[in-house]
Amino acid sequence: MSESPAPIQSQDVARPSSPVIDGERLAVMRALERKLLWLSSWTIHNANHLRPSRDGLKVGGHQASSASLVTLMTALYFDILRPEDRVAVKPHASPVFHAIQYLLGRQNRDALERFRAFGGAQSYPSRTKDADDVDFSTGSVGLGVAMTVFASLVQDYLAAKAALPEGERLGRMVALVGDAELDEGNVYEALLEGWKHDVRNVWWVIDYNRQSLDAVVSDRLFGQFDRLFDTMGWRVITIKYGKKLEAAFARPDGEALRAWIDDCPNSLYSALVFQGGAAWRRQLQADLNGYPGIEALLDELDDAALHELLCNLGGHCLETVLETFRSIEDDKPTCFIAYTIKGLGLPFAGHKDNHAGLMNLEQMASFKASNDIADGKEWEPFAGLSLPGEQLQAFLDQVPFAAKYPRRYSTDLVEGAERLPVPEAARMSTQEGFGRILADLARDGGALADAVVTTSPDVTVSTNLGGWVNRRGIFDRRPREDMFREQKVVSAQRWGMSPEGQHLELGIAENNLFIMLAALGLSHSLFGRRLLPIGTLYDPFIQRGLDALNYACYQDARFMVVATPSGITLAPEGGAHQSLSTPLIGMAQDGLAAFEPAFVDELAAIIGWSFDYLQRDEGHPGHDADPGTDWLRDSKGGSVYLRLSTRSLAQPERPLDEALRRDIIRGGYWLRPPAPGASLAIAYCGAVAEEALAAHEAILEDLPDAGLLAITSADRLNAEWSAAEQARQSGTPRAGSHVESLLAPMAPDAGIVTVLDGHPASLAWLGAVRGHKVQALGVEHFGQSGDIPDLFRHHRIDQDAILDACAAALLAR
Ligand SMILES: Cc1ncc(C[n+]2csc(CCOP(=O)(O)OP(=O)(O)O)c2C)c(N)n1
Ligand SMILES: [Mg+2]
């Protein structure tokens, strides 16, 4: 928001206790409902028809999807919601959301005029890109829906520890859901997980227009949702008919009309909505012939009134919607199935092809006339409404949802991160090191340990979180004993559950893991308490949850994802568990700094740094960086991905001094520095350190100047280099990057052999930094079961392959 309004203090706004809505209030809200339909339609129209196009692309926007939710959103935002409630808005209703924010003074006209343009209001509500008050980003259908479940679990986690800001009530996590979103499997994964955790304070409001993008939704789905939600412990409330239809049903033969509508196939109903009054009349005359009450009704109503009556589904009857929402006072998760009409009030209402439909100029002209909007008054908040502006403004000023602003929190830093002790052992894997670092943290305690929360989709033990969990316990709102322990059955795991627990155990669903991390990682902003979330999973299954990971990063949630084991190094586990492309995901995923350390001291440095990095925010005290040199945008902070391994390596004996720490975090250092003008270097990343070291040793006999480059983060080396290069091109000649400095001692025609247990493209770019010739080794094809010597030989990342590549690199000089 460019004109930021003065902060508003939270007031104690009680939830409505009476379902009765007074007439004046209803009249005002009806006017605002009409305004939202106008503004959302106009915002899209303006973007498509009035803003000059420079590229010939259709701008788009969803007038029909927006219209479908106007009544429900009017009721929620202007009456039902409270500042502590958080909402995931159906992506395609973004224009309605922005219009609401505009009426509440939290969105400016300029942003609406630039809807879907650079810097304007976003096509789908975005926490990070929109300037108005978005709670949860949406866009990829189903994810915002699931987010509400996990946000509620986070709220419960904090409430159980009395860690919510003082005096704050528990909010409701509300999703406005397109009915086709319910086809997304992740929604059911979330439902199931929510059930296990006894989720509460969640509302899903389903915009049941029975249309998706392509088509009218199958009738066979009808009725399934009730059962499904009921099984999961939810209350299901169907908002099917509005007051007018209910009144018609109460008339003579009204029940026949109700039965007719109930039995009407979705596609026929949609088609009749599109065709309007005359078509309804023909159909009812044919189907309900012989019911005098219906005949009388048809005689009484002209075509327009008949059409209005039959479009009076529950989700468009403000009074019904308000009464229904107001009637809920408890915290039981509730699913409202609100019958709606896609595009109601617009010329393409009900048409099966209306998803991307836009009113043309003529249609808009008549829509505008019917809204009494004069030329030049299109953006006026109250133009064309019959009630006085002062009355409408007075109402908006009292809207309970708007009683507090801003609704996002900022929190203090959790200190004490940077210097974590390094676990000691002659040989260790990074996975074991991770487990020990966390177990030590759990034992030592302090504010940092208290802020950490871990979670894992059924791989808590196998990713080495067991030590942490044994000390810190599993979270559950109700204390539960560890039955095995009670029965004195010996086990290394102590699985006691309590409100104090700091581990959230999830079922196997990586989508849920990442949405859980998204919710935990926004806790500071949503719930005013900073958490340091760590999620663990097997590296290959990042791909299972990739859209949810992207979703978490897109909202700027802050978390650490620890993926282990990884690559073919997990050898006997076989090809289905061996990840090849995750290093490239780590490099390409925005908002995620990816590391793949080989040694445990590197890991300790990275985790320590990460705890701080997770909390950074531009302008946060202590994190001011010189924008002229912060090519890694470190002052902005972000999330962290650690790719670890179960392969035990001999650990270097060395002090972890400041310079080494800094280089580890920047992405790499010379484990064996090259002599100036060296003709060859081996650059390795991760668990292949042993082969790289051995190959390097072997080469030294012939090439004593050869270097051995340890790469801890290909992602950060690459990002800094790329940013520095762009800065030079745009006029900052002094810009430079760590990798350029690292490679500076090498002869201009030197060869570099890169090797990692992952796709070779992850490091092949090193050749472009200073024009060195690269031989890139890595894994390009599916693996299989085997031991490390066999697999490394097969995929050519063993010592012999590295030596062959060195020979080729020298030959190519
Ligand atoms: C994961 C994902 N897949 C596909 C799409 C493309 N898409 C956008 S809207 C939509 C259908 C929406 O139907 P519904 O949820 O019923 O919303 P309506 O517009 O009918 O209110 C699809 C398939 C998407 N946004 N996200
Ligand atoms: Mg739909």
Side-chain angles (χ1 to χ4, degrees):
M1 177 158 320
S2 52
E3 310 132 27
S4 43
I8 303 170
Q9 289 311 305
S10 182
Q11 295 159 13
D12 196 36
V13 196
R15 291 193 182 279
S17 53
S18 150
V20 182
I21 304 111
D22 76 65
E24 187 188 324
R25 196 171 168 80
L26 198 62
V28 169
M29 287 174 70
R30 285 210 171 107
L32 295 174
E33 174 192 25
R34 192 160 169 241
K35 181 50 67 179
L36 290 182
L37 180 62
W38 163 256
L39 278 175
S40 55
S41 303
W42 178 253
T43 300
I44 298 167
H45 184 81
N46 176 71
N48 283 276
H49 292 293
L50 304 180
R51 214 166 56 211
S53 167
R54 296 190 302 176
D55 52 15
L57 286 184
K58 176 183 171 180
V59 178
H62 302 83
Q63 288 174 331
S65 294
S66 294
S68 195
L69 261 181
V70 158
T71 310
L72 291 158
M73 289 177 74
T74 303
L76 284 167
Y77 279 94
F78 294 144
D79 187 84
I80 302 296
L81 295 176
R82 298 295 178 264
E84 64 272 18
D85 297 335
R86 305 279 166 187
V87 190
V89 176
K90 179 184 81 168
H92 309 84
S94 169
V96 185
F97 172 79
H98 292 306
I100 290 170
Q101 296 284 315
Y102 178 60
L103 292 182
L104 292 175
R106 292 169 190 189
Q107 177 62 288
N108 58 55
R109 173 174 160 179
D110 182 56
L112 294 187
E113 289 192 62
R114 289 189 299 119
F115 174 60
R116 289 186 168 232
F118 193 69
Q122 297 297 296
S123 40
Y124 308 117
S126 169
R127 269 187 75 84
T128 51
K129 304 292 176 193
D130 269 316
D132 50 3
D133 197 15
V134 176
D135 291 324
F136 302 120
S137 301
T138 53
S140 177
V141 299
L143 297 182
V145 185
M147 184 70 174
T148 55
V149 166
F150 291 98
S152 179
L153 295 180
V154 173
Q155 183 176 242
D156 275 343
Y157 177 88
L158 295 171
K161 296 174 169 61
L164 289 171
E166 226 177 286
E168 284 296 345
R169 285 176 309 259
L170 294 183
R172 274 187 186 131
M173 305 296 126
V174 180
L176 305 176
V177 187
D179 49 351
E181 292 197 69
L182 295 178
D183 286 334
E184 286 287 1
N186 85 281
V187 169
Y188 303 94
E189 296 178 14
L191 260 185
L192 204 57
E193 199 58 52
W195 177 81
K196 291 184 209 164
H197 292 270
D198 210 2
V199 73
R200 53 183 180 151
N201 291 307
V202 183
W203 277 15
W204 286 0
V205 180
I206 298 175
D207 178 2
Y208 197 47
N209 58 29
R210 302 165 309 287
Q211 281 188 250
S212 60
L213 193 161
D214 284 338
V216 176
V217 175
S218 159
D219 293 316
R220 287 172 53 228
L221 272 178
F222 210 82
Q224 295 301 316
F225 296 126
D226 298 38
R227 260 179 286 162
L228 219 140
F229 279 92
D230 189 56
T231 313
M232 291 293 157
W234 286 51
R235 174 198 287 122
V236 180
I237 296 182
T238 303
I239 313 178
K240 192 161 186 184
Y241 297 116
K243 298 276 180 197
K244 286 188 189 137
L245 269 175
E246 291 288 359
F249 298 154
R251 292 170 50 130
D253 293 330
E255 281 310 315
L257 179 63
R258 184 201 294 273
W260 181 84
I261 300 180
D262 282 346
D263 293 343
C264 187
N266 290 345
S267 46
L268 175 61
Y269 207 86
S270 293
L272 291 172
V273 165
F274 177 69
Q275 295 171 85
W280 288 115
R281 190 176 303 278
R282 271 195 307 277
Q283 192 73 40
L284 289 174
Q285 277 167 346
D287 293 350
L288 296 181
N289 177 22
Y291 288 98
I294 301 298
E295 231 168 82
L297 181 77
L298 292 179
D299 286 346
E300 252 174 58
L301 301 175
D302 64 12
D303 281 355
L306 180 62
H307 180 62
E308 196 185 323
L309 174 68
L310 285 153
C311 289
N312 183 237
L313 298 186
H316 295 299
C317 176
L318 193 57
E319 215 179 332
T320 304
V321 165
L322 283 166
E323 280 175 13
T324 312
F325 287 152
R326 283 184 171 211
S327 70
I328 307 297
E329 292 180 30
D330 60 15
D331 62 7
K332 182 169 173 147
T334 301
C335 170
F336 301 91
I337 302 179
Y339 277 68
T340 53
I341 290 169
K342 191 155 169 172
L344 185 72
L346 308 181
F348 35 62
H351 196 290
K352 73 182 178 63
D353 305 336
N354 67 9
H355 184 75
L358 297 173
M359 278 186 261
N360 62 27
L361 293 175
E362 264 173 34
Q363 288 170 325
M364 178 46 85
S366 86
F367 183 61
K368 186 170 155 185
S370 70
N371 275 280
D372 297 321
I373 308 281
D375 285 345
K377 300 287 181 200
E378 293 86 353
W379 298 106
E380 291 291 312
F382 306 131
L385 302 180
S386 52
L387 297 175
E390 303 80 62
Q391 185 185 1
L392 295 165
Q393 190 56 55
F395 174 89
L396 289 170
D397 291 343
Q398 306 243 335
V399 163
F401 177 72
K404 181 181 163 196
Y405 192 74
R407 292 164 56 250
R408 290 188 192 177
Y409 294 95
S410 56
T411 54
D412 293 337
L413 289 179
V414 182
E415 307 269 0
E418 296 263 7
R419 295 283 175 271
L420 298 177
V422 180
E424 284 181 20
R427 294 189 70 87
M428 212 186 326
S429 69
T430 44
Q431 173 169 320
E432 190 189 345
F434 165 69
R436 286 180 55 180
I437 289 168
L438 275 201
D440 290 349
L441 187 64
R443 182 200 57 217
D444 296 345
L448 185 74
D450 292 345
V452 169
V453 51
T454 56
T455 182
S456 183
D458 201 27
V459 289
T460 300
V461 176
S462 48
T463 54
N464 256 30
L465 270 178
W468 162 267
V469 174
N470 281 346
R471 284 213 149 83
R472 292 279 158 165
I474 294 179
F475 172 74
D476 199 292
R477 269 165 51 212
R478 295 181 191 99
R480 295 182 210 191
E481 285 309 317
D482 177 352
M483 195 50 79
F484 277 72
R485 207 171 151 74
E486 268 205 346
Q487 296 293 321
K488 302 200 170 26
V489 178
V490 177
S491 162
Q493 316 303 333
R494 292 194 290 277
W495 290 89
M497 302 181 182
S498 75
E500 290 80 44
Q502 282 179 252
H503 176 75
L504 291 151
E505 180 68 7
L506 300 175
I508 323 170
E510 287 72 16
N511 263 304
N512 281 344
L513 169 74
F514 288 118
I515 301 180
M516 181 56 132
L517 289 174
L520 289 166
L522 287 173
S523 170
H524 54 284
S525 171
L526 296 174
F527 304 119
R529 179 59 70 121
R530 170 70 70 175
L531 293 172
L532 299 171
I534 301 177
T536 67
L537 81 167
Y538 295 172
D539 195 53
F541 304 129
I542 281 185
Q543 281 153 238
R544 173 71 80 101
L546 197 50
D547 195 26
L549 169 63
N550 181 63
Y551 177 69
C553 292
Y554 179 60
Q555 318 204 50
D556 202 22
R558 298 302 177 83
F559 54 87
M560 218 185 290
V561 54
V562 180
T564 180
S566 60
I568 59 170
T569 308
L570 54 85
E573 276 288 293
H577 282 51
Q578 293 166 352
S579 55
L580 324 183
S581 56
T582 45
L584 292 172
I585 291 173
M587 291 179 80
Q589 179 61 59
D590 195 16
L592 196 66
F595 293 89
E596 184 168 356
F599 303 116
V600 172
D601 58 354
E602 297 168 354
L603 178 66
I606 292 164
I607 294 179
W609 173 85
S610 298
F611 283 137
D612 184 64
Y613 182 68
L614 297 187
Q615 305 185 59
R616 291 184 195 175
D617 199 354
E618 262 158 339
H620 213 297
H623 289 140
D624 298 333
D626 175 0
T629 55
D630 185 19
W631 309 118
L632 277 166
R633 305 196 306 164
D634 274 355
S635 55
K636 207 172 158 287
S639 288
V640 174
Y641 159 35
L642 306 183
R643 188 175 190 251
L644 306 185
S645 170
T646 38
R647 186 186 191 192
S648 192
L649 294 181
Q651 298 295 307
E653 277 183 37
R654 58 183 174 186
L656 195 53
D657 62 31
E658 218 36 62
L660 180 56
R661 264 178 204 282
R662 203 181 47 237
D663 287 354
I664 288 168
I665 300 307
R666 280 182 94 174
Y669 60 95
W670 286 107
L671 189 62
R672 307 279 184 269
S679 54
L680 184 76
I682 298 170
Y684 75 90
C685 181
V688 295
E690 197 163 296
E691 285 66 27
L693 266 160
H696 182 257
E697 286 283 315
I699 277 170
L700 283 182
E701 288 173 23
D702 297 326
L703 279 180
D705 60 352
L708 179 62
L709 185 62
I711 293 182
T712 47
S713 174
D715 177 27
R716 286 171 60 81
L717 283 184
N718 179 273
E720 191 186 24
W721 167 59
S722 165
E725 180 57 39
Q726 286 173 45
R728 285 194 291 265
Q729 289 174 21
S730 24
T732 310
R734 70 188 168 87
S737 66
H738 187 49
V739 71
E740 289 165 292
S741 312
L742 283 171
L743 296 181
M746 304 295 297
D749 64 345
I752 302 177
V753 172
T754 63
V755 57
L756 81 157
D757 180 2
H759 197 279
S762 320
L763 295 179
W765 59 272
L766 280 174
V769 174
R770 288 189 173 272
H772 294 122
K773 176 102 177 143
V774 160
Q775 303 289 333
L777 302 178
V779 183
E780 287 169 280
H781 302 292
F782 292 123
Q784 56 186 299
S785 300
D787 63 8
I788 287 181
D790 275 344
L791 290 175
F792 277 25
R793 180 172 31 81
H794 181 75
H795 290 278
R796 296 194 50 76
I797 56 171
D798 64 351
Q799 184 186 342
D800 287 347
I802 298 173
L803 290 173
D804 290 347
C806 289
L810 291 170
L811 266 180
R813 289 188 77 195

